[in-house]
């Protein structure tokens, strides 16, 4: 068979090769790691298999292969050279305790020389050696696999910096690795070319021999079974197979580059500056498209900031190409056309991606215009010898105008300036400290260390029985009274109690904790909330309502049944609302936060624009339709991977264990909603009664918030609305059915009367102006019209002043009025007197000062306001003196 050439052929041949080696081919996971809060974005193929490597979960097959979407932020500033990318596809084969170094090395050699048909003369192999610690096993397997076709001088050891693979995140699997490099320059390639950014050689495949697990404290322990984790860069492999010297010259990027050239009118290759800018726009357009498709929204922190940064970087490089209008939406078209067949979700999300891109692009252009002016002023104010923008100046640009540091650095460097980044970070730290101080004000100590005494310093697993029952006979294990360890508490004292088992749900997943009562033989605790400061440790917070409570007491723990049921109704309503949002608005909608209380629910979600009135109604109607269908609300416990395979939605930033709870509304195969959730829920949707949407608003860029009520809360809300509607109808002498048209008629009538009143006021103002014109003064050869008129708005006052100026031909007009019981002044001067040096701003400023006010403006027009209404006439009489 001929060797694969195109990017699609290489991807397909790799997966088929490892399928023939009994690997299960697994689809790419999202760029946003689910269930792993230690990782910002998916940076390698092994991320979705991390729990398999650590032994937390059992894989569906011990041999796996994938083509994984990846994103790395470390190379952002290098994007545009011959090989660095932020977004890329990584081919990988993985062994979960099955095969190890021997097979991994043999199959890697077989694929690169047998399938890709790369010449062994162009290949170099590196393996791990640090001091006396050398992976001789890997070296021996390479010599055995290559069967003399690769000179031993091309199998070289490198240190920990190059041939040790750390965990993807703060913790996780790791171990020594071995890399395959391809040399473009056989005669001159040296060891140094394998460790830097040389154009003579490029790394194409990394074989990681994961033998250890690193914890957050930096400790290494051997894994139960050693594993294989490999990563082969698809773009770099295509570069070699297509005999190109940059990834941008391959078929993967050529259509994007042509598209940018057409948009900008700049030819790729005409000069390096133009070519570099085109490469940056092409690369970042792909990254932007995939990040948004996978649910990331632009923001100032975390993965949202990564998206914002590359999107803005693409805009800035587009401007260098003369693209001064929004263009990234058109680049999204090109990305979808090129990669939509491999990633169909791009096609579904295209309109959403373009909407987010357009909004962010326009916002950034406004930032560039406002902040750019200030940056220019800062640079222009510098002395010739001062070529540094201080940290304080850079921070002011960031805090006041939203000008990112990287943008300031880039623009400044183009003009020969440096930015004091260290001082900028110090300013950021001071700002963060002030913010933290404000945020923490009034909060108690919620540190897990505070509860160590309650559990004698050991982990304690409180059995939670609240899914099955709301009353439990149990025992008090520990107690804090007013924050201090105690054995007993009496009436009036605030307590935090730990029980052996509990029906009380602890605050988590957006749902508030349960309240209720704990009754002991000699006393009773009124529980106002339940929290879980340490995993599996439930703390019941309340006050001793009567009697005395002691550690060791056998107690009855009773949850407030009505409050719990209303909370469950709202929590199920939240899931149904999420499902309806995804059906009505699109699958780009993802939960960004929630609050579930007995009284109401609040749901934050990703969406670039306000919901229309029709969408609002459609969402509410769909939820209530499913409520009337009285669907079963199934609660299952299953393996995490099994749940995801069943289509369950998981949420970013949440940490999921091997076993997860799945809430499924409706029957499997056509369920209305399926989500991972540890919260409490009703048994059938009909129990919810009705869901009513209250408000929809923006809480940040690309994030919306809906508030709603269900059940009794919805009934109360609708009753209040109904009562208000009936009262208005009675007041307006109409029926509720005709109330809207009645109000529209009254509004139109009121608007008409307002216009008529405004017209009459303007006529009256002109009449008063005519009276003033009859008393023109002569001051040093210039006409002056000055006086008071009675008007209700500054607009009418200006119109009257303009009317007088038009009548006198040449002169000065200064008039005033009491508007909202405060003096207001307007001054106008005809053009001929402006040329002679008269200045309306100077005159009106002095007039207003008489009343304790101030103002100013241009030579021909100015206005001012005062404080002392009693001095209005005195100030106007002084106009002649000031003139």
């Amino acid at each position: 068979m001929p060797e694969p050439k195109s990017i699609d052929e290489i991807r397909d041949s790799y997966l088929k090769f490892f399928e023939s080696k009994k690997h299960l081919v697994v689809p790419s996971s999202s760029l946003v790691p689910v269930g792993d809060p230690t990782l910002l974005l998916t940076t390698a193929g092994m991320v979705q298999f991390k729990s398999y490597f650590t032994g937390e979960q059992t894989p569906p097959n011990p041999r796996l292969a994938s083509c994984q979407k990846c994103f790395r932020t470390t190379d952002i500033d290098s994007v545009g050279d011959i090989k660095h990318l932020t977004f890329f596809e990584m081919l990988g084969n993985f062994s979960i305790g099955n095969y190890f170094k021997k097979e991994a090395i043999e199959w890697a050699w077989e694929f690169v020389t047998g399938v890709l048909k790369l010449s062994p003369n162009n290949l170099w192999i590196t393996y791990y050696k640090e001091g006396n610690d050398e992976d001789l096993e890997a070296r021996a397997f390479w010599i055995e696999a290559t069967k003399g076709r690769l000179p031993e001088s091309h199998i070289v050891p490198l240190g920990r910096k190059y041939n040790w693979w750390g965990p993807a995140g703060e913790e996780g699997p790791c171990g020594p690795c071995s890399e395959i490099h391809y040399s473009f320059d056989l005669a001159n390639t040296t060891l140094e070319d394998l460790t830097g950014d040389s154009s003579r050689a490029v790394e194409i495949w990394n074989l990681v021999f994961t033998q250890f697990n690193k914890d957050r404290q930096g400790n290494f322990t051997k894994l139960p079974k050693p594993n294989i984790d490999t990563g082969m860069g698809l773009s770099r492999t295509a570069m070699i197979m297509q005999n190109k010297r940059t990834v941008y010259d391959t078929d993967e990027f050529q259509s994007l580059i042509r598209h940018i050239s057409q948009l900008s009118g700049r030819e790729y290759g005409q000069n390096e500056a133009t070519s570099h800018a085109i490469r940056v726009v092409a690369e970042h357009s792909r990254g932007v498209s995939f990040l948004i498709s996978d649910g990331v929204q632009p923001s100032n922190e975390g993965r949202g900031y990564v998206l914002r940064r590359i999107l803005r970087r693409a805009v800035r490089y587009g401007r260098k190409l003369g693209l001064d209008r929004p263009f990234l939406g058109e680049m999204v078209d090109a990305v979808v056309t090129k990669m939509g067949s491999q990633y169909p979700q791009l096609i579904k999300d295209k309109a959403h991606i373009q909407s987010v891109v357009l909004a962010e692009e326009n916002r950034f252009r406004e930032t560039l215009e406002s902040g750019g002016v200030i940056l220019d002023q800062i640079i222009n104010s510098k002395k010739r010898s001062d070529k540094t923008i201080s940290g304080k100046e850079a921070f002011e640009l960031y805090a006041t105008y939203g000008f990112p540091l990287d943008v300031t650095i880039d623009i400044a460097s183009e003009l020969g300036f440096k930015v004091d980044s260290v001082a900028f970070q110090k300013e950021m730290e001071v700002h963060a400290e002030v913010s933290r101080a404000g945020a923490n004000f009034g909060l108690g100590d919620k540190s897990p260390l505070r509860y160590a005494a309650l559990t004698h310093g050991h982990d304690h697993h409180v059995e939670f029985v609240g899914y099955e029952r709301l009353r439990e006979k149990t025992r008090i294990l520990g107690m804090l009274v007013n924050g201090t360890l105690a054995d007993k508490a009496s009436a009036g004292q605030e307590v935090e109690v730990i029980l052996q088992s509990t029906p009380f749900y602890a605050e988590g997943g957006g749902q508030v904790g349960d309240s209720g009562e704990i009754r002991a033989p000699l006393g009773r605790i009124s529980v106002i909330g339940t929290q879980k400061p340490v995993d599996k440790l439930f703390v019941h917070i309340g006050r001793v309502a009567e009697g005395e409570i002691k550690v060791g007491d056998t107690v009855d723990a009773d949850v407030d049944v009505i409050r719990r049921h209303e909370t469950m109704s709202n929590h199920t309503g939240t899931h149904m609302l999420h499902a309806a949002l995804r059906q009505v608005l699109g699958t780009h909608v993802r939960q960004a936060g929630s609050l579930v209380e007995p009284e109401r629910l609040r749901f934050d979600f990703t969406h670039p624009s306000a919901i229309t009135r029709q969408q609002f109604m459609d969402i509410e109607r769909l939820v209530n339709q499913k409520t009337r269908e009285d669907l079963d609300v199934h609660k299952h416990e299953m393996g995490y991977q099994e749940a995801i395979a069943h289509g369950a939605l998981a949420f970013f930033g949440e940490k999921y264990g091997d076993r997860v709870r799945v809430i499924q509304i409706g029957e499997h195969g056509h369920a209305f909603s399926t989500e991972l959730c540890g919260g409490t829920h009703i048994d059938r949707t009909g129990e919810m009664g009705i869901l009513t949407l209250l408000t929809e608003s923006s809480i940040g860029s690309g994030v919306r918030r809906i508030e709603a009520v269900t059940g009794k809360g919805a009934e109360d809300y609708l009753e209040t609305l109904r009562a208000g509607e009936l009262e208005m109808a009675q007041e307006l002498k109409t029926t509720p059915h005709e109330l809207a048209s009645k109000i529209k008629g009254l509004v139109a009538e009121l608007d008409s009367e307002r216009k008529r009143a405004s017209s009459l006021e303007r006529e009256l103002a002109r009449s008063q102006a005519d009276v003033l014109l009859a008393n023109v003064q002569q001051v040093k050869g210039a006409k002056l019209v000055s006086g008071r008129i009675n008007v209700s708005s500054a607009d009418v006052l200006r119109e009257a002043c303009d009317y007088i100026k038009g009548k006198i031909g040449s002169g000065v007009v200064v008039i005033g009025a009491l508007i909202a019981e405060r003096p207001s002044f307007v001054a106008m001067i005809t053009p001929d007197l402006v040329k002679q040096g008269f200045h309306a701003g100077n005159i009106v400023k002095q007039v207003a000062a008489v009343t304790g006010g101030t103002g100013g403006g241009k030579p021909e027009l100015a206005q001012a306001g005062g404080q002392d209404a009693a001095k209005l006439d005195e100030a106007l009489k002084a106009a002649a003196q000031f003139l």
Side-chain angles (χ1 to χ4, degrees):
M1 289 182 63
E3 65 271 22
K5 292 285 189 182
S6 74
I7 200 91
D8 292 335
E9 290 171 348
I10 297 167
R11 185 192 299 112
D12 188 55
S13 66
Y14 181 92
L15 297 176
K16 284 182 177 177
F17 174 82
F18 280 100
E19 199 168 33
S20 74
K21 304 295 184 185
K22 299 181 180 178
H23 288 62
L24 173 67
V25 175
V26 179
S28 172
S29 65
S30 170
L31 285 174
V32 180
V34 174
D36 189 351
T38 70
L39 202 57
L40 189 69
L41 292 164
T42 298
T43 56
M46 63 77 61
V47 168
Q48 67 167 312
F49 308 129
K50 190 173 172 180
S51 59
Y52 300 153
F53 285 133
T54 58
E56 296 173 42
Q57 295 181 326
T58 303
N61 188 309
R63 298 182 181 185
L64 302 168
S66 69
C67 179
Q68 174 65 48
K69 299 178 292 185
C70 297
F71 197 101
R72 292 182 185 170
T73 60
T74 51
D75 295 329
I76 286 179
D77 294 327
S78 299
V79 166
D81 67 3
I82 70 166
K83 56 187 177 183
H84 286 100
L85 304 170
T86 55
F87 172 82
F88 58 95
E89 295 175 272
M90 182 178 285
L91 301 167
N93 57 288
F94 309 89
S95 166
I96 317 298
N98 186 266
Y99 62 85
F100 198 44
K101 292 180 186 178
K102 185 177 189 299
E103 294 85 351
I105 289 170
E106 286 178 353
W107 291 337
W109 183 255
E110 181 182 347
F111 183 75
V112 295
T113 59
V115 178
L116 299 184
K117 295 182 170 52
L118 298 181
S119 169
N121 294 330
N122 294 82
L123 300 176
W124 286 70
I125 308 297
T126 66
Y127 67 95
Y128 172 71
K129 181 182 179 183
E130 184 73 26
N132 295 325
D133 187 15
E134 183 174 5
D135 193 354
L136 293 172
E137 187 179 36
R139 184 177 189 278
F141 284 137
W142 276 115
I143 293 172
E144 180 183 339
T146 56
K147 296 181 174 60
R149 297 174 64 199
L150 183 72
E152 286 193 30
S153 60
H154 279 208
I155 305 176
V156 296
L158 290 175
R160 191 181 191 90
K161 179 179 178 181
Y162 302 104
N163 279 110
W164 181 273
W165 197 252
E170 298 174 15
E171 55 183 333
C174 55
C177 64
S178 183
E179 297 174 338
I180 302 176
H181 296 254
Y182 184 87
S183 169
F184 295 101
D185 186 348
L186 298 180
N188 298 305
T189 298
T190 64
L191 189 60
E192 286 70 28
D193 294 315
L194 309 183
T195 59
D197 282 334
S198 170
S199 61
R200 284 194 285 267
V202 63
E203 174 209 333
I204 57 170
W205 205 343
N206 190 6
L207 314 180
V208 180
F209 311 125
T210 48
Q211 300 167 245
F212 306 100
N213 186 64
K214 179 187 175 186
D215 63 25
R216 293 196 182 196
Q217 287 70 46
N219 302 312
F220 293 86
T221 55
K222 282 194 173 183
L223 293 172
K225 293 182 181 180
N227 305 306
I228 290 296
D229 159 25
T230 84
M232 184 181 206
L234 180 58
S235 302
R236 294 184 180 185
T237 305
M239 179 175 73
I240 294 164
M241 296 305 297
Q242 296 172 29
N243 196 28
K244 306 294 183 183
R245 295 306 295 269
T246 82
V247 293
Y248 298 98
D249 293 329
T250 67
D251 68 318
E252 182 180 20
F253 278 98
Q254 280 301 293
S255 62
L256 301 183
I257 285 173
R258 285 194 296 271
H259 198 74
I260 300 165
S261 294
Q262 290 170 2
L263 288 176
S264 66
R266 305 288 181 88
E267 186 179 345
Y268 184 68
Q270 70 181 47
N271 59 64
E272 179 51 28
T274 295
S275 297
H276 183 266
I278 289 174
R279 290 194 293 264
V280 171
V281 173
E283 201 281 338
H284 287 347
S285 297
R286 296 198 321 162
V288 164
S289 299
F290 276 92
L291 284 172
I292 296 173
S293 179
D294 279 350
V296 180
Q297 291 289 319
S299 71
N300 285 331
E301 58 185 17
R303 55 182 68 96
Y305 181 67
V306 173
L307 169 59
R308 175 163 283 171
R309 185 180 173 193
I310 66 165
L311 191 153
R312 290 180 166 187
R313 197 166 186 263
V315 171
R316 287 193 290 107
Y317 275 89
R319 287 167 72 98
K320 292 180 181 182
L321 296 170
L323 292 168
D324 292 325
R325 60 177 178 81
F327 66 91
L328 282 178
E330 295 173 76
M331 287 306 303
V332 172
D333 270 327
V335 172
V336 173
T337 299
K338 175 61 185 173
M339 306 193 74
S341 59
Q342 181 65 26
Y343 297 100
Q345 190 64 38
L346 280 177
I347 300 172
K348 294 179 183 177
D349 292 340
K350 186 175 84 166
H352 168 63
I353 297 168
Q354 289 175 319
S355 174
V356 173
V357 161
L358 179 61
E360 183 68 13
E361 198 171 357
N362 284 332
R363 188 177 295 113
F364 182 50
R365 288 179 185 279
E366 292 172 6
T367 297
L368 282 176
E369 288 174 9
S370 58
V373 170
I374 305 303
L375 180 56
D376 286 343
Q377 291 175 0
I378 291 171
I379 289 173
N380 292 333
S381 69
K382 300 284 182 183
K383 294 179 181 178
R384 186 168 296 181
S385 59
D386 184 3
K387 293 291 185 179
T388 301
I389 294 172
S390 71
K392 189 172 184 178
E393 290 168 331
F395 178 76
E396 188 68 23
L397 278 166
Y398 169 75
T400 306
Y401 300 98
F403 222 63
L405 178 64
D406 56 292
V407 176
T408 302
I409 291 172
D410 283 353
I411 294 176
S413 65
E414 290 170 6
L415 299 172
F417 281 75
K418 293 181 179 179
V419 178
D420 190 341
S421 301
V422 175
F424 174 85
Q425 292 303 329
K426 288 180 180 177
E427 292 283 343
M428 288 287 284
E429 288 166 13
V430 170
H431 175 71
E433 192 62 40
V434 171
S435 298
R436 277 195 297 272
N440 291 335
F441 182 75
L443 294 180
D445 178 13
K446 295 187 178 181
S447 166
L449 295 175
R450 184 168 182 255
Y451 299 95
L454 282 174
T455 60
H456 307 289
H458 300 291
D459 289 340
H460 185 82
H461 180 183
V462 176
E463 182 186 4
F464 175 62
V465 299
Y467 290 141
E468 298 84 26
R469 54 189 179 272
L470 300 182
R471 170 175 288 185
E472 175 76 352
K473 180 77 76 173
T474 182
R475 189 165 64 90
I476 296 178
L477 297 180
M479 184 189 305
L480 292 174
V481 176
N482 297 325
T484 304
L485 187 66
D487 293 324
K488 61 182 180 179
S490 55
Q493 290 185 305
E494 294 181 355
V495 294
E496 296 172 73
V497 173
I498 293 178
L499 304 176
Q500 189 169 36
S501 59
T502 181
F504 285 80
Y505 178 84
E507 179 181 324
Q511 180 177 326
V512 297
D514 279 332
S515 61
E517 285 189 342
I518 297 174
R519 295 194 307 279
L522 300 176
R524 176 172 61 87
I525 299 172
S526 176
V527 178
I528 61 171
T530 311
Q531 295 187 350
K532 194 160 54 173
V534 182
D535 189 34
K536 299 178 181 177
L537 182 68
F538 290 66
V539 177
H540 307 78
I541 302 164
R543 183 185 297 270
V544 180
E546 58 181 88
E548 186 177 78
I549 304 292
K550 294 184 293 184
V551 172
D553 277 353
T554 297
V555 297
D556 290 311
D558 288 345
V559 173
D560 184 328
V561 176
I562 294 175
R563 187 174 184 273
R564 164 70 88 84
H565 189 272
E566 289 173 348
T567 303
M568 292 194 303
S569 174
N570 281 338
H571 204 152
T572 301
T574 301
H575 285 223
M576 296 177 74
L577 174 59
H578 190 192
L581 285 164
R582 288 171 64 86
Q583 283 198 28
V584 174
L585 303 180
T587 55
H588 64 273
V589 168
R590 287 172 174 82
Q591 180 173 332
S594 67
L595 174 64
V596 179
E597 298 177 309
E599 301 81 14
R600 61 173 182 142
L601 66 91
R602 188 181 75 205
F603 189 75
D604 301 338
F605 58 98
T606 57
H607 188 62
S609 58
I611 294 176
T612 66
R613 182 181 176 186
Q614 185 60 51
Q615 289 170 333
F616 197 81
M617 294 168 61
D618 290 345
I619 292 162
E620 186 177 82
R621 189 180 294 115
L622 179 56
V623 172
N624 287 321
Q625 175 192 325
K626 296 300 178 181
T627 301
R628 289 192 300 275
E629 290 176 14
D630 199 23
L631 303 174
D632 278 317
V633 180
H634 301 281
K635 299 102 174 176
H636 306 291
E637 189 174 291
M638 61 182 71
Y640 173 76
Q641 292 294 344
E642 181 187 359
I644 298 302
H646 274 74
L649 294 178
F651 302 111
F652 314 143
E654 293 289 336
K655 184 72 173 177
Y656 298 105
D658 184 36
R659 304 291 294 175
V660 293
R661 194 163 186 259
V662 179
I663 305 301
Q664 177 184 300
I665 301 174
E667 302 310 311
H668 182 62
H670 49 273
F672 179 56
S673 167
T674 307
E675 294 187 13
L676 303 189
C677 179
T680 61
H681 291 266
I682 53 181
D683 294 323
R684 302 187 67 85
T685 60
E687 295 176 38
M688 197 169 73
I690 188 173
L691 177 140
T692 301
L693 301 182
L694 305 179
T695 62
E696 189 271 342
S697 60
S698 170
I699 60 168
S701 177
V703 181
R704 311 294 300 179
R705 170 172 290 173
I706 279 183
E707 296 195 24
V709 286
T710 68
K712 179 70 165 51
E715 288 178 14
D716 292 344
Y717 173 74
L718 292 174
E719 283 178 10
T720 302
L721 282 185
R722 178 68 172 164
E725 185 180 55
L726 288 171
E727 186 178 347
M728 274 195 289
Q730 187 175 8
E731 188 72 25
L732 296 176
K733 296 180 174 53
T734 186
T735 64
H737 180 69
E738 296 174 334
L739 185 60
S741 60
K742 180 74 172 181
I743 290 173
K744 285 180 182 177
L746 287 173
V747 169
E749 186 179 328
L750 181 61
D751 188 49
S752 175
E753 288 301 313
R754 280 177 177 158
K755 289 178 180 177
R756 192 167 75 87
S758 177
S759 177
L760 288 172
E761 184 180 27
R762 282 173 165 78
E763 286 182 24
L764 181 61
R766 284 195 291 272
S767 296
Q768 295 176 76
D770 286 334
V771 172
L772 294 179
L773 280 166
N775 296 285
V776 176
Q777 303 176 57
Q778 291 287 335
V779 181
K780 300 260 182 171
K783 293 178 185 176
L784 170 65
V785 176
S786 178
R788 169 180 182 160
I789 65 173
N790 297 316
V791 295
S792 62
S793 73
D795 285 343
V796 178
L797 184 63
R798 279 194 300 272
E799 287 177 18
C801 192
D802 195 48
Y803 171 78
I804 295 170
K805 187 183 81 168
K807 290 287 187 179
I808 62 174
S810 172
V812 177
V813 185
V814 182
I815 61 173
L818 286 181
I819 298 175
E821 300 182 355
R822 297 184 68 175
S824 290
F825 304 95
V826 177
M828 291 186 183
I829 297 177
T830 55
D832 59 316
L833 295 185
V834 170
K835 290 178 181 178
Q836 294 179 32
F838 288 82
H839 196 292
N842 295 339
I843 296 172
V844 82
K845 184 176 182 180
Q846 294 179 78
V847 169
V850 175
T851 65
T854 187
K858 299 176 182 179
E860 66 276 9
L861 167 64
Q863 52 192 8
Q867 299 291 330
D868 190 345
K871 292 187 176 182
L872 173 64
D873 293 325
E874 179 186 339
L876 291 168
K877 287 177 183 177
Q881 176 189 337
F882 298 137
L883 181 61

